[in-house]
Amino acid sequence: MTVETHSPESAGSGDQVKTHFRTCPLCEAMCGLEIKTDGEKVLPPIRADRDDVWSKGFICPKGTTLGHLHEDPDRVRVPLVKDENGTFQEATWEEAYARCEELLHVVRNTHGVDAMTYYIGNPAAHNFSISRYVGALVMQSGVQMGYSAGTVDQWPKNVSSECMYGNSWTFPTPDIMRTQYLVVMGANPHASQGSLLACPDVLGEMDKIRERGGKCVVVDPRRTGTCDHADEWVPITPGTDAAFLLALCHVLFDEGLVDMGTMANHVNGLDEVGALVADWTPEKVADTTQVPAETIRRLAREIAAADSACVYGRIGLCNQEFGTLASWLIDVVNLLTANFDVPGGMMFGNPVAPAMVTLNFEAPKEPEFGRWHSRVRGAPEVLGQVPVSCLSEEIMTPGEGQIKALVVVAGNPVISSPEAGRLDEALPMLDAMICIDNWVNATTRHADVILPGLSPLEQPHWDEMIWSWAARTAGNWSDQIFDYGDRPDEWEILVRVGALMGGQSNDEIDERAIDDGFFAGLCMFFGLDAEHVLSHYDDGGPERMTDLMIRIGPKGDRYGENPDGLTLQDFKDNPHGLDFGPMVPRVPDIIHTPSGKIEMAPPYITADVGRLQRRLGRDDGIVLVSRRHVRSNNSWMHNVKALVKGKDRCTLLVHPDDADGIGLADGAVARVSTEIGSIEVPVEVSDEMMPGVVSLPHGWGHNLDGVQLSVAKEFAGVNNNLLAPGELVDEISGNAIVNGIKVEVVPVPA
């Protein structure tokens, strides 16, 4: 919603100040914002919308900088095409599309579709167009093997959900607003605001748990800012969370504390889990995890005795050696303690508008992995992908199927993927590289063509996926604030590039016709008359898609079948959003396994316990973990000076005992090395780290030739992914291991 007001802030401009209410698109907190503009300028400060029904006045530092992102002089606003000298030149959209067609068609006609691939970055999940239409690019391209940031930060959770619930995007989330006992593992809401947990002000909710007599526990190798809002910090050896969770389960069975509650008739595999954990005593794992056996027993008893409890784990559990086991066991503990699909436990979100990826388009079937393997490494396919670290070797290794063309959508894998240096070497070897991105960063500097998208303020917003794991059922529509002229929408770019990859020519591509066909197919899937539904709209694109999903959602009007149901217009008429209450039990309706029940002991996952058994007792010496800051959003917020200025945050955190043993001083420089590389970084001695573990932030390392990010280059930092070996993956998910990497740390002489 936009309102016009006269304000002293606009004195002298001669224009009217406009106030806009919208949702921040930067993370899962989905904070409501109040943004004032004067003409084409954002008037600082951006404030929290205190009337927003979802966030109720909460805001984090990142949300205040949307104006900086929009006005960033480094932001690409017109297509860039690289000339014969390797220099980017501004081009018209027609010229850029023509160059894309030329490059992609040469590769397709010469080497075939197997020589083409794509990479999808993390920001795509938060973008109004890309989140809904990246699938159109993939389907039209005909490409079988693609890559994404998912195999760096969350694929184990997708695998465990596929095996347990029959849908890889069905994630239970903690009912944090009603629980009495919260365990946080491998997550730091102090920085992330929550991940696969949509809730404004997670730290405030943790404070409320304690105020109402409950308890919060953080299990993490680092005493993060989240620990300041908890009753207890439990340090744990990185990569051993699965062993800790198996021991928790052992105590529950051994002491007769198992209670399936309302799930008793909805679960298969209870006896199998009991047999599996029988030998996993707390004493067996104590030395490896560095969590005392008595602490494990006490925590198990406390979880079982609590009126309600949630054991929540996130990225630190995913991107480690046993990520899938840990992700699976989180849900098992909640199931075993009657804390699943009940208020105050782990529940499933009930979005007003279901996300496309959560829909079940096929009949239930047994999970199937390894349907094909990567050409060079032989890595097995998992949920349609192989590890992103395979990309560099697929580009560099000659032979049939060698990758010759790459399309990158909203991603910066040269910074964010393991063995980043090798990928940086590989990208110039491509015959065609097309990037859909708003900046010339470490990755896009290698592109032949950059097709710019829109700023967050140049497009509407409604989160598609995030509401699927939200603590309440709500919704909020945001109008676009600024006009972007005759530039194409991002959905149109995605459709066109996908069609070009698929072999079509520019002169035969009709984005609207392709969109109408896709939309009509969805209507038929939902049992709607496509012609009748299409008659409701003048325009295509993501706004139409959003209206469709609201209308077919649990509260929708189904185009007149339910006259009192919701449409998108209801949310446009309520600029601060609509709230429909907390999560509700959903298991009978949401499970999509062949048995119709939750599979608590999926063989594909339980078979991996033997690999964990072999890890017990291993001493890795000093290991490295990652971290992020509340003012950082991976690599793509580092060009905002308001977020990166001040104290250097790209430092190596080292426990005082380790610093003394290694000979490191606070503020000195250390060299951190692995088998694939080394970096030099300032040291920050801090007892927030447990001994034996050091920490580097991720998303840094912008001081590369050709990067056109003036602020980020000034605060370049170092890239911790130069240390992560690409072949280190969680074997059954293919997810990268970037936490718990064995490193050597030595002082650098002054």
Side-chain angles (χ1 to χ4, degrees):
M1 178 185 179
T2 301
V3 296
E4 294 188 1
T5 58
H6 292 281
S7 168
E9 293 173 90
S10 63
S13 70
D15 293 327
Q16 287 185 315
V17 171
K18 295 181 179 179
T19 301
H20 314 264
F21 298 104
R22 64 181 291 116
T23 298
C24 178
L26 298 178
C27 77
E28 278 142 292
M30 300 186 291
C31 299
L33 307 176
E34 179 186 292
I35 303 175
K36 294 183 182 296
T37 60
D38 186 352
E40 295 300 309
K41 294 287 292 181
V42 175
L43 297 175
I46 292 177
R47 295 187 172 94
D49 176 7
R50 299 189 180 279
D51 295 320
D52 187 274
V53 300
W54 167 255
S55 58
K56 297 180 174 61
F58 178 77
I59 191 174
C60 91
K62 294 187 292 292
T64 66
T65 65
L66 290 184
H68 295 267
L69 289 174
H70 174 74
E71 296 164 2
D72 186 352
D74 293 330
R75 180 164 68 90
V76 179
R77 292 165 170 80
V78 298
L80 299 178
V81 175
K82 196 165 283 182
D83 62 21
E84 62 275 8
N85 298 316
T87 302
F88 282 120
Q89 302 293 339
E90 293 188 357
T92 66
W93 282 94
E94 291 76 13
E95 291 168 341
Y97 282 148
R99 182 60 173 153
C100 291
E101 177 182 331
E102 177 186 6
L103 291 166
L104 294 172
H105 283 198
V106 167
V107 170
R108 186 182 179 93
N109 295 336
T110 305
H111 304 285
V113 69
D114 289 343
M116 309 173 79
T117 193
Y118 56 83
Y119 173 87
I120 311 300
N122 174 272
H126 303 274
N127 180 284
F128 185 60
S129 271
I130 298 175
S131 62
R132 290 165 175 84
Y133 280 84
V134 72
L137 179 146
V138 173
M139 286 188 293
Q140 296 232 87
S141 71
V143 170
Q144 180 189 39
M145 185 170 68
Y147 302 86
S148 80
T151 60
V152 179
D153 65 12
Q154 75 170 55
W155 231 231
K157 199 65 191 173
N158 293 85
V159 171
S160 65
S161 289
E162 178 73 17
C163 293
M164 296 181 76
Y165 315 121
N167 186 313
S168 61
W169 291 95
T170 297
F171 303 133
T173 194
D175 186 10
I176 190 172
M177 295 179 175
R178 293 184 288 183
T179 196
Q180 283 295 103
Y181 196 106
L182 178 68
V183 180
V184 178
M185 297 184 66
N188 182 19
H190 176 259
S192 69
Q193 309 302 329
S195 177
L196 299 185
L197 160 59
C199 175
D201 195 10
V202 171
L203 299 183
E205 293 299 332
M206 292 178 65
D207 293 339
K208 291 176 184 177
I209 292 171
R210 302 171 70 194
E211 289 168 4
R212 57 180 178 257
K215 183 175 181 178
C216 297
V217 178
V218 175
V219 182
D220 198 287
R222 175 176 163 235
R223 193 181 67 244
T224 64
T226 300
C227 295
D228 295 337
H229 300 263
D231 299 274
E232 183 176 1
W233 171 44
V234 179
I236 188 170
T237 302
T240 67
D241 302 86
F244 167 83
L245 289 163
L246 282 169
L248 279 183
C249 293
H250 170 90
V251 176
L252 295 174
F253 279 97
D254 187 57
E255 299 188 6
L257 300 175
V258 171
D259 179 3
M260 298 301 294
T262 61
M263 293 294 98
N265 295 323
H266 297 288
V267 172
N268 286 332
L270 177 61
D271 292 341
E272 289 88 339
V273 171
L276 187 72
V277 304
D279 295 332
W280 286 84
T281 65
E283 290 74 18
K284 178 177 181 176
V285 306
D287 288 344
T288 298
T289 63
Q290 297 190 61
V291 181
E294 57 269 26
T295 300
I296 297 175
R297 293 185 183 278
R298 173 176 56 80
L299 291 174
R301 295 164 185 155
E302 289 177 359
I303 294 167
D307 291 339
S308 59
C310 301
V311 180
Y312 161 66
R314 192 39 203 110
I315 189 168
L317 266 62
C318 286
N319 52 22
Q320 58 162 279
E321 189 175 0
F322 301 98
T324 307
L325 282 174
S327 297
W328 160 65
L329 285 163
I330 285 286
D331 292 0
V332 170
V333 172
N334 289 295
L335 281 163
L336 293 177
T337 54
N339 287 303
F340 203 87
D341 203 38
V342 293
M346 295 294 281
M347 304 187 75
F348 295 100
N350 190 25
V352 172
M356 201 76 66
V357 293
T358 66
L359 299 175
N360 298 310
F361 289 97
E362 299 178 350
K365 61 181 180 180
E366 295 293 338
E368 185 180 2
F369 307 104
R371 295 169 295 178
W372 42 267
H373 292 70
S374 67
R375 178 180 65 100
V376 178
R377 189 186 307 178
E381 164 273 338
V382 178
L383 300 175
Q385 295 193 27
V386 294
V388 67
S389 58
C390 292
L391 179 56
S392 58
E393 64 198 36
E394 294 291 337
I395 296 172
M396 301 174 85
T397 306
E400 185 177 353
Q402 180 183 7
I403 295 299
K404 297 288 187 176
L406 172 67
V407 172
V408 179
V409 180
N412 191 4
V414 167
I415 295 293
S416 61
S417 67
E419 207 153 342
R422 190 178 185 199
L423 181 61
D424 196 33
E425 294 175 11
L427 293 180
M429 301 179 183
L430 291 164
D431 292 346
M433 183 174 173
I434 314 300
C435 291
I436 301 172
D437 206 288
N438 291 3
W439 282 273
V440 181
N441 58 35
T443 298
T444 63
R445 80 192 207 277
H446 293 299
D448 296 292
V449 181
I450 299 179
L451 304 173
L454 305 175
S455 86
L457 303 185
E458 290 175 327
Q459 56 189 311
H461 191 69
W462 173 293
D463 280 286
E464 187 205 21
M465 297 172 59
I466 310 306
W467 290 108
S468 301
W469 44 86
R472 294 180 67 84
T473 298
N476 205 328
W477 171 259
S478 303
D479 287 319
Q480 78 179 70
I481 292 179
F482 296 117
D483 183 29
Y484 53 88
D486 59 357
R487 295 165 59 189
D489 282 319
E490 284 160 318
W491 73 268
E492 295 174 308
I493 299 172
L494 290 167
V495 168
R496 181 167 290 270
V497 172
L500 291 172
M501 294 177 76
Q504 295 187 55
S505 301
N506 277 307
D507 58 6
E508 61 183 339
I509 297 173
D510 185 335
E511 294 102 332
R512 178 61 187 270
I514 294 171
D515 186 33
D516 283 349
F518 179 57
F519 189 83
L522 283 174
C523 292
M524 290 185 284
F525 173 78
F526 296 128
L528 299 169
D529 179 81
E531 185 176 351
H532 169 69
V533 173
L534 283 165
S535 69
H536 286 69
Y537 304 102
D538 295 325
D539 298 315
E543 182 170 336
R544 178 173 69 174
M545 188 74 69
T546 303
D547 188 47
L548 169 69
M549 302 311 285
I550 291 172
R551 287 177 181 249
I552 60 91
K555 302 180 185 300
D557 79 332
R558 289 190 62 86
Y559 294 91
E561 292 179 23
N562 305 320
D564 296 328
L566 294 173
T567 72
L568 178 57
Q569 190 60 48
D570 290 298
F571 294 91
K572 290 186 174 184
D573 294 339
N574 290 273
H576 304 289
L578 294 172
D579 186 297
F580 301 97
M583 292 184 284
V584 296
R586 298 191 65 206
V587 157
D589 299 323
I590 206 168
I591 302 305
H592 197 65
T593 59
S595 67
K597 294 186 177 184
I598 296 171
E599 300 296 342
M600 193 162 65
Y604 181 75
I605 297 177
T606 58
D608 199 38
V609 172
R611 184 169 64 96
L612 177 61
Q613 172 79 40
R614 295 188 293 273
R615 188 259 178 263
L616 297 180
R618 188 182 77 204
D619 183 5
D620 288 337
I622 299 290
V623 296
L624 175 70
V625 297
S626 183
R627 73 179 189 272
R628 62 177 283 191
H629 193 275
V630 66
R631 292 178 174 271
S632 176
N633 207 356
N634 301 325
S635 67
W636 55 291
M637 298 293 288
H638 290 170
N639 211 46
V640 179
K641 195 158 191 174
L643 296 179
V644 296
K645 67 180 181 180
K647 179 184 176 182
D648 186 2
R649 291 189 289 275
C650 191
T651 60
L652 182 74
L653 290 180
V654 185
H655 187 275
D657 292 349
D658 292 327
D660 289 343
I662 298 170
L664 298 172
D666 192 76
V669 177
R671 180 178 295 111
V672 186
S673 305
T674 66
E675 61 195 67
I676 68 161
S678 65
I679 58 176
E680 295 184 0
V681 61
V683 171
E684 186 175 348
V685 178
S686 172
D687 64 2
E688 70 186 67
M689 298 306 304
M690 67 182 291
V693 184
V694 296
S695 176
L696 276 171
H698 60 263
W700 300 82
H702 307 287
N703 55 338
L704 298 172
D705 291 342
V707 171
Q708 297 179 25
L709 298 166
S710 54
V711 173
K713 292 190 78 168
E714 181 184 352
F715 300 88
V718 296
N719 184 358
N720 69 344
N721 277 311
L722 295 173
L723 302 174
E727 294 196 7
L728 277 185
V729 297
D730 169 39
E731 290 184 7
I732 61 174
S733 69
N735 200 92
I737 300 172
V738 294
N739 277 315
I741 302 173
K742 184 177 181 178
V743 294
E744 180 186 32
V745 182
V746 298
V748 174

